[in-house]
Amino acid sequence: MVGAPRLSYAQLLETNNLLQTFTDETYWLCVTRTVQESKLFPVPPYMLLSYLNAFYRYPSLLRKVESVMTAEEIGDRAREGRPPGKSAMGWGMPGFYLLGREWLINMGLLRPQDAAEDVVYLMDFWKRLQLSWHRNDGHITNKEFGHRCQILPERRLQVFESDAYGCEAGDALHSAATQFMASASQYGFLVSCESRISLLNTGPYKLADGNEMIVREFMDLGEGDFPWLDDVAADIPYNNLTVPMMVKDCHFYLVDDWGSFESEPEFRAENIIGVGLYTSDPLTEGHAPVGMESRETLTETFRTLDGLFKEATARLWKRIAGWSRDQMLDAGALTYFGICKDLAHVAGVYAQEDWMLIDERAERFRPLLNDEFSRDCLGELVGLLTLPSHRLSSYSMMQHGNGPTRMYTPIPYAILDGEEYVPTCGPVYPGATTLPAKADRYRTSEGVLTLEEYNARVRAFTPQSDRYRFLDETWLKYNHGTPRADEMYQHEQERARKIQGRGASLGAAELAALPRD
C-alpha cells in the first residue's frame, strides 16, 4: 500500500504496547510451564501448522464474528457462562496468530509492516474481548492480576458456594467427584490431541475460614465441532461441564493465562471439601445445574459421567490408532487453531469450513513439518529466541530473560511516513483436511441439533441476563437494596438450592452459616 496509511500513530502505539506485553508473558509461560512433546501426536509439527492457519484465517473470521456481535458483547456473555471462557480469552487466539506471523517473518515471506491492519485489528479485538471478560477484576490478562483470574460476578459465586455439597476424603461424593475429574481430564486431553485446550481453571475466589474456590471447566466433550468425536461421543450428554471446587488448607497463588494452577501447600484431592456440577453453552441462561437435586443424585451423576468418559476414551483411542500421521497432524493443528471457534458459536455464525479446514496457504508448508525440523523451529520461536527477528540492540534486556531479545516483532512506525506495506493477508482461502467429513450433529443444551438449527437458535436467543449487562459490581455496591438489584440477583437464584429469592443483600457471613449438606 502506497500513500496515506489507514492506521493512526495512536493505533500503532497501542498495538505495539500490547505486542510487548504479550511478548513478556508468552516467554514466561513457554519456558516455565509446559513440555510440548507427545509419544503419540506430532505436537511441534501440528503447533506450527496451527500458527500458520491462524495467521491466514483469524482476521477474516473475527471480522465475520463482529459483523453480528462485537467483541465486547461476546466477552460479556462469556463472563456470564456462555460458553466457558477457554484459553482463547487469555492467550491462545493472539498467541497462535502472532507466532505464525513471527515464523513467516523469519522465513522471509513477510515483512514486519505487512498485514499491519490485520495485526492492529486482531490485537484490538483481543483487548476488547479481554477487558469485557475480565471486567470484574479489571485486567486484560491474568498476569496483570498477579496470575489470578476472578471472572465471575458475586451473584454467580454465591449460588456456586451455597449449592455446593460438602464432602471429605473417603466419602461417596468425594470419591465420585475426584474420579470424574480425573476421567474427564484424561478424556479431554485426548480429545484435544494431548493438549490442555479442552480444560480451564478460573479463580481463586475467597471463601470463609481461609478456604478458596476454583472453578474447573471441561469443554468440547460431546459430538460437536471435532469430526473425530462423531459416534465416539454419542453417549456424552453435555458438551461443557463446570465443577466449582471448594478447597481447604491451600492457597492457589497462580492461575495463569493457560488456565493451569499452582498452590501452596501443593493441592491434593483430600483438600476438596465441596463440589457442584453445571453445564452451559450459547443457549443457556448462565450455568444450568446438573444432578444437583440431592447429594445422592450428584454422586450418581458423577459416577455415570465417569463411566461414559472412560468408554468414550477407549473408543477414541481405537479411532486415533487407525489414523495416518497427516490425520494426526490435521487434528492437532485444527484443535489449536480452533481455540477461539466458540466466539463464532456465541455469535451464531459458526461454519465448519471456517474452523475445521487447513487453509491452502498454510498447507504449502506441510513438507517442512517433519519432527526434527518442527521441534527445533518451535524451540527457536518460543524459547531460545535466536532467530533474526528476535534480536535487539545489545543494550536491551528482555523481561524474565535479560537477553537482547523480543519474541514478537512490533509494527514499524515508518508506515506512517509513507513506507509501503501490505495491509492484510486477504480473505479466507479454500481449505482441506485428511480427516473424515464431520457429521451434521452438534450436542447442545437443547439436544442434538444440525449446525443450521444451532446457529439459528443462537441468533434468535437473547439471555435475560443481557438486561443487567451494565449493572456492574461498583453499581451494586451503592444500589444493593434497590428493586432492580434484587431482580438481577433473584434471576440468578432461580435454580439455586438454598438461596432462591434472597436478592442482592445476602452477605458472606450468611452464606457461610448455611449448612453444608
Side-chain angles (χ1 to χ4, degrees):
M1 179 177 180
V2 180
R6 293 194 289 257
L7 298 171
S8 70
Y9 186 35
Q11 285 178 298
L12 293 189
L13 286 168
E14 181 178 43
T15 301
N16 284 339
N17 171 257
L18 292 170
L19 288 173
Q20 183 58 52
T21 300
F22 209 73
T23 282
D24 298 334
E25 177 66 351
T26 299
Y27 180 77
W28 182 85
L29 287 167
C30 288
V31 300
T32 66
R33 304 288 299 151
T34 188
V35 175
Q36 295 161 332
E37 293 181 345
S38 164
K39 298 299 183 183
L40 177 62
F41 284 90
V43 174
Y46 81 52
M47 292 172 71
L48 290 174
L49 185 58
S50 77
Y51 300 160
L52 295 170
N53 217 39
F55 177 79
Y56 289 120
R57 289 198 161 202
Y58 277 176
S60 291
L61 295 182
L62 296 179
R63 290 181 176 107
K64 179 178 177 179
V65 166
E66 283 215 283
S67 71
V68 174
M69 184 178 289
T70 66
E72 298 93 318
E73 291 175 289
I74 293 172
D76 287 340
R77 289 202 178 181
R79 191 179 63 250
E80 293 294 326
R82 295 174 302 275
K86 253 191 177 180
S87 300
M89 304 294 185
W91 183 87
M93 180 251 288
F96 297 165
Y97 174 85
L98 293 173
L99 285 169
R101 173 179 179 254
E102 207 65 25
W103 188 26
L104 288 167
I105 289 172
N106 282 286
M107 287 192 287
L109 301 175
L110 192 75
R111 301 170 303 172
Q113 67 265 37
D114 289 334
E117 292 177 15
D118 284 348
V119 178
V120 169
Y121 172 72
L122 183 133
M123 296 307 292
D124 179 68
F125 181 102
W126 173 73
K127 178 196 69 176
R128 291 180 286 122
L129 181 74
Q130 286 287 98
L131 287 172
S132 56
W133 189 51
H134 274 272
R135 194 176 79 182
N136 288 324
D137 67 41
H139 298 84
I140 296 181
T141 65
N142 295 1
K143 179 200 175 207
E144 291 181 357
F145 195 21
H147 288 113
R148 295 180 180 177
C149 186
Q150 296 177 358
I151 300 297
L152 297 173
E154 180 191 57
R155 62 187 187 278
R156 177 72 45 79
L157 296 168
Q158 286 184 343
V159 171
F160 281 171
E161 181 183 3
S162 62
D163 270 5
Y165 288 96
C167 60
E168 60 182 19
D171 70 26
L173 177 57
H174 189 280
S175 298
T178 54
Q179 185 57 55
F180 157 81
M181 284 189 278
S183 297
S185 298
Q186 183 183 35
Y187 172 68
F189 190 63
L190 188 59
V191 166
S192 56
C193 304
E194 298 203 330
S195 75
R196 294 173 292 171
I197 284 177
S198 66
L199 309 173
L200 179 71
N201 302 286
T202 64
Y205 300 100
K206 185 179 178 67
L207 303 177
D209 301 323
N211 299 328
E212 295 182 2
M213 182 197 308
I214 286 284
V215 179
R216 311 204 67 185
E217 308 277 10
F218 302 88
M219 298 160 285
D220 289 319
L221 304 172
E223 289 186 309
D225 304 325
F226 298 141
W228 51 95
L229 290 186
D230 288 345
D231 299 321
V232 162
D235 297 332
I236 305 297
Y238 306 99
N239 200 41
N240 307 303
L241 287 168
T242 300
V243 179
M245 189 173 68
M246 320 300 161
V247 173
K248 67 174 182 179
D249 298 335
C250 67
H251 165 57
F252 295 95
Y253 67 87
L254 183 148
V255 180
D256 67 26
D257 286 291
W258 283 353
S260 55
F261 61 72
E262 292 182 2
S263 71
E264 292 178 343
E266 182 182 359
F267 167 73
R268 299 180 184 277
E270 52 263 33
N271 296 115
I272 300 173
I273 58 173
V275 290
L277 183 63
Y278 302 82
T279 189
S280 63
D281 68 16
L283 295 171
T284 60
E285 285 283 351
H287 290 85
V290 175
M292 294 288 286
E293 296 85 353
S294 68
R295 168 185 294 275
E296 293 72 26
T297 302
L298 181 58
T299 301
E300 188 55 37
T301 300
F302 277 132
R303 288 173 176 162
T304 299
L305 290 169
D306 172 49
L308 292 174
F309 285 132
K310 287 176 177 174
E311 292 169 3
T313 300
R315 289 193 293 269
L316 185 54
W317 272 116
K318 292 177 182 178
R319 173 161 290 177
I320 292 172
W323 279 358
S324 67
R325 185 182 188 278
D326 277 333
Q327 287 177 309
M328 289 189 179
L329 183 58
D330 281 5
L334 292 171
T335 298
Y336 257 52
F337 166 74
I339 196 169
C340 57
K341 63 184 175 58
D342 287 329
L343 303 175
H345 277 304
V346 175
V349 296
Y350 182 87
Q352 197 72 10
E353 62 270 21
D354 288 342
W355 295 99
M356 288 294 126
L357 296 179
I358 304 297
D359 193 287
E360 63 182 26
R361 292 167 292 180
E363 180 65 27
R364 296 174 300 171
F365 296 87
R366 189 181 295 260
L368 291 175
L369 300 177
N370 63 57
D371 291 344
E372 293 76 17
F373 173 84
S374 300
R375 178 200 62 209
D376 293 346
C377 180
L378 186 64
E380 296 287 348
L381 274 174
V382 304
L384 299 174
L385 304 189
T386 56
L387 296 173
S389 74
H390 293 147
R391 307 308 295 173
L392 298 176
S393 157
S394 60
Y395 294 104
S396 302
M397 298 174 65
M398 182 181 185
Q399 186 180 17
H400 304 305
N402 289 334
T405 55
R406 173 188 282 139
M407 185 174 289
Y408 298 129
T409 300
I411 300 171
Y413 294 101
I415 65 175
L416 300 172
D417 240 356
E419 181 168 315
E420 178 266 338
Y421 73 102
V422 179
T424 175
C425 73
V428 170
Y429 278 40
T433 178
T434 58
L435 294 163
K438 171 75 183 78
D440 195 14
R441 299 193 300 269
Y442 293 80
R443 171 66 68 179
T444 77
S445 57
E446 297 186 4
V448 177
L449 305 175
T450 67
L451 182 56
E452 182 179 5
E453 291 171 333
Y454 190 10
N455 280 334
R457 293 195 191 191
V458 170
R459 289 194 297 269
F461 176 60
T462 302
Q464 292 186 49
S465 57
D466 275 10
R467 294 180 298 179
Y468 315 117
R469 181 182 173 197
F470 298 119
L471 304 187
D472 64 340
E473 305 293 87
T474 302
W475 176 88
L476 178 70
K477 183 164 69 172
Y478 297 98
N479 293 274
H480 68 88
T482 64
R484 195 172 186 204
D486 281 336
E487 177 189 310
M488 177 173 64
Y489 270 64
Q490 287 164 1
H491 168 67
E492 189 73 41
Q493 296 161 358
E494 284 177 357
R495 294 172 295 192
R497 293 196 305 121
K498 297 178 180 178
I499 59 172
Q500 285 188 6
R502 295 292 294 272
S505 296
L506 185 63
E510 294 174 88
L511 281 168
L514 293 172
R516 182 71 69 208
D517 53 3

